[in-house]
Amino acid sequence: MIFTDDVSLREPSHIEVKRLHGPRQITDAYLLALAVAHGGCFVTFDSAVPLSAVPRAQKKDLRNGPLLAFSRSGHADTSPRPPARPVEGAGDRPI
């Protein structure tokens, strides 16, 4: 999903900078705030994303762990995917 880049790091209603514990959390907090502002969900492998740094964020707005596709309703799409098919001329490597 693509969202308009309209969240400001300087706006306390989007991000509470004092709740960030280091520079590595800035991008995660920004992406979470962007997802919250547009009714999306931020999916990440990082387990240290500071939910409290985004005032309107709730647990449903953040998913940690394996990458899954989520519908607008927040339900995981766990339908099986067909195996990758080899591309002609690519040898035995699937794409």
Side-chain angles (χ1 to χ4, degrees):
M1 208 173 260
I2 298 174
F3 298 128
T4 307
D5 183 17
D6 56 0
V7 170
S8 173
L9 290 171
R10 295 180 181 188
E11 181 61 45
S13 66
H14 292 152
I15 297 174
E16 292 185 27
V17 178
K18 291 181 180 181
R19 295 198 180 257
L20 299 177
H21 301 290
R24 291 182 178 184
Q25 292 184 334
I26 294 171
T27 302
D28 290 336
Y30 176 78
L31 293 172
L32 176 59
L34 194 61
V36 168
H38 293 280
C41 178
F42 178 46
V43 180
T44 180
F45 287 108
D46 190 350
S47 61
V49 176
L51 190 66
S52 64
V54 179
R56 295 182 355 214
Q58 300 173 12
K59 286 186 178 187
K60 69 175 182 64
D61 300 319
L62 177 64
R63 301 273 198 256
N64 301 96
L67 187 60
L68 297 171
F70 287 90
S71 67
R72 288 183 183 263
S73 65
H75 296 102
D77 177 8
T78 57
S79 57
R81 301 285 187 255
R85 290 179 281 161
V87 174
E88 190 173 322
D92 294 333
R93 296 176 291 130
I95 58 167

